[in-house]
Amino acid sequence: MINPHYGNIPPSYLFSEVATRVRTFQDANPDQRILRLGIGDVTRPLAPAVVEALQDAVQEQASDATFRGYGPEQGYAFLRDAIIAGEYAPIGTAITAEEVFVGDGSKTDTAGVQELFDADARVAVSDPVYPVYVDSNALAGRLGEFVGGKWSRLTYLDCIESNGYRPSLPEAPVDLVYLCSPNNPTGTSLSRSDLEQWVTWARENDAVILFDAAYRAFITDDSAPRSIYEIEGAEEVAIEFGSFSKTAGFTGLRCSWTVVPKALRREGASLHAMWSRRHATKFNGTPYIVQRAAEAIYSPEGREQVQADIDYYMRNAGLIREALNASGVAAVGGRNAPYVWFRCPGGLDSWEFFDRLLAEIQVVGTPGVGFGPAGADHFRLSAFGSHEDTLEAVARLTTLIPALGRTDSSPVLVRSES
Ligand code: MLT
């Protein structure tokens, strides 16, 4: 009677487990100041242009003449047009507003997209990976048995030091592949030639790429595409997810978009029509006031304010990465993404390192194993804290690392964007 697949997955979602351990430590040590570089949750307040748009929209909701109830399920045209003008037209893609679906967060849509595919569809993910892609497929019963930390029917594309933390094309056939670039958790990004390879592979294998571009605004290196649709032919093989969460501080407000191109068809069916049907069934739209707030980030002031916040976080990212590298830890990420990824020093596994950081220097990060087996001895630090906290965390870390012993990895040569 109940879904048996809930019994198969690890009982707690990664970030819930992290939060529980931190809460337990804080309860036992109420005087300790914990520095949080764990979950990628923003700390800068909303941009003034966003707040003003929110306030104006609230006022509209307060009057008979301008009140709005249910909105269009796919999102208001003003926001879909702004997304095209702000995100897709400038990079020369032909994506249209009709192909954009406004949502309440990439987590929701990256978890939901698997419903478009057969229960037996073969899935590949980068390893390590944002756990939502895996868990949502596991709950749908698509991944087989969870044995020894791995799903029996899931193809893991290792992202490790020796390949510059970039996934290679699958050796066995798969129907769906989740790619995230810039990647959460490694902070590395795929280059244009990487993405060209992926699009060619998908076209040749009739596969669908689920491309999570939630961190696109953090790209500083122009050779890394901001959208998979910058690659010719991608609209026939890829669905893309974008988000305002990290870009514009919307982790609390909730707004995102998903692009399902009309050219994407499989077995005679339009995936656009299918997603539209699903969206209409399961979603009543992101609140009007939130969509107005999202629209405001594309105004000249909005763009400037939001970019200043991104620059603020990227300054933190650079600081973390450089401090780790200076301590002999070969860290990647932090150039095109607000995450820094590295092997745990002293031969510790990622939960051991997590526990020691928490107990000894009160710094919270995210254990790599929570992102997949290839992360078992790696760790992620997020750049979304305040600058002061990041400076303090880095100072504490760089005093602890020598005491743990140097990491046993030698610094790797990683492509310049990572
Ligand atoms: C993360 O820390 O990986 C993200 O903040 C989680 C999320 O976006 O759901």
Side-chain angles (χ1 to χ4, degrees):
M1 176 181 141
I2 56 165
N3 179 347
H5 306 300
Y6 279 79
N8 286 342
I9 64 163
S12 151
Y13 178 61
L14 169 63
F15 293 106
S16 315
E17 174 63 23
V18 168
T20 303
R21 291 197 191 199
V22 173
R23 218 172 19 251
T24 306
F25 178 86
Q26 186 77 86
D27 289 348
N29 302 277
D31 300 333
Q32 302 275 23
R33 194 165 88 82
I34 297 178
L35 302 173
R36 293 162 201 271
L37 278 64
I39 191 166
D41 194 4
V42 292
T43 50
R44 307 280 302 150
L46 292 170
V50 168
V51 174
E52 198 181 316
L54 261 178
Q55 286 168 334
D56 291 349
V58 168
Q59 280 312 315
E60 285 183 62
Q61 293 293 73
S63 138
D64 279 347
T66 49
F67 170 77
R68 298 179 192 234
Y70 289 129
E73 287 130 354
Q74 201 172 328
Y76 284 98
F78 64 76
L79 180 55
R80 290 191 285 134
D81 289 342
I83 290 169
I84 293 298
E87 307 281 349
Y88 289 100
I91 51 176
T93 68
I95 298 299
T96 65
E98 281 181 25
E99 295 169 307
V100 173
F101 295 78
V102 174
D104 68 0
S106 287
K107 183 178 190 173
T108 313
D109 283 359
T110 55
V113 69
Q114 45 80 27
E115 292 177 21
L116 300 189
F117 301 95
D118 192 86
D120 290 330
R122 295 158 301 182
V123 181
V125 292
S126 304
D127 177 19
V129 74
Y130 181 42
V132 169
Y133 316 151
V134 176
D135 289 1
S136 55
N137 277 284
L139 293 176
R142 203 172 276 119
L143 303 188
E145 297 303 316
F146 190 65
V147 186
K150 282 196 165 190
W151 290 98
S152 58
R153 281 197 81 244
L154 179 62
T155 297
Y156 292 85
L157 308 171
D158 288 355
C159 299
I160 50 181
E161 282 171 341
S162 57
N163 61 17
Y165 297 99
R166 294 189 336 277
S168 308
L169 300 176
E171 283 164 15
V174 296
D175 304 303
L176 304 176
V177 62
Y178 290 80
L179 294 177
C180 180
S181 182
N183 186 43
N184 179 13
T186 60
T188 50
S189 53
L190 295 173
S191 67
R192 189 168 303 276
S193 67
D194 291 331
L195 279 185
E196 280 166 357
Q197 259 196 333
W198 275 105
V199 168
T200 303
W201 166 85
R203 293 175 70 85
E204 287 171 0
N205 290 276
D206 223 15
V208 174
I209 297 173
L210 304 168
F211 190 74
D212 187 349
Y215 297 93
R216 56 192 272 150
F218 294 86
I219 293 176
T220 56
D221 170 357
D222 282 341
S223 71
R226 284 168 172 69
S227 164
I228 197 165
Y229 305 119
E230 289 184 48
I231 310 300
E232 203 182 327
E235 63 288 351
E236 290 176 9
V237 296
I239 292 175
E240 180 167 287
F241 307 89
S243 172
F244 297 100
S245 285
K246 315 296 158 87
T247 311
F250 274 50
T251 53
L253 273 189
R254 313 302 308 152
C255 194
S256 63
W257 74 89
T258 295
V259 175
V260 189
K262 293 198 167 166
L264 178 54
R265 304 183 67 85
R266 286 295 177 277
E267 297 161 18
S270 155
L271 271 74
H272 180 276
M274 289 169 70
W275 185 254
S276 181
R277 182 71 179 82
R278 179 197 177 275
H279 205 65
T281 301
K282 296 202 165 184
F283 192 59
N284 260 336
T286 304
Y288 171 72
I289 60 173
V290 174
Q291 293 193 51
R292 279 293 184 203
E295 179 195 25
I297 77 158
Y298 296 110
S299 67
E301 322 76 72
R303 276 174 192 280
E304 210 173 287
Q305 294 160 3
V306 159
Q307 187 58 47
D309 289 339
I310 292 172
D311 294 345
Y312 177 98
Y313 294 131
M314 289 308 283
R315 190 165 150 236
N316 288 346
L319 196 75
I320 299 169
R321 176 190 165 113
E322 280 155 29
L324 286 168
N325 284 336
S327 304
V329 174
V332 297
R335 284 209 177 112
N336 286 331
Y339 297 124
V340 178
W341 181 252
F342 56 97
R343 185 183 294 200
C344 304
L348 298 177
D349 77 31
S350 62
W351 274 118
E352 284 168 351
F353 187 58
F354 173 92
D355 288 335
R356 292 212 40 193
L357 286 194
L358 183 57
E360 294 175 33
I361 58 170
Q362 294 77 56
V363 170
V364 177
T366 309
V369 73
F371 298 103
D377 59 356
H378 277 67
F379 207 70
R380 191 192 78 176
L381 291 174
S382 144
F384 287 116
S386 71
H387 191 57
E388 295 67 32
D389 279 4
T390 305
L391 276 172
E392 173 65 24
V394 160
R396 293 186 195 178
L397 263 170
T398 47
T399 42
L400 180 73
I401 286 170
L404 295 174
R406 279 170 67 102
T407 168
D408 56 358
S409 69
S410 48
V412 280
L413 274 182
V414 184
R415 295 151 57 101
S416 60
E417 89 283 25
S418 57

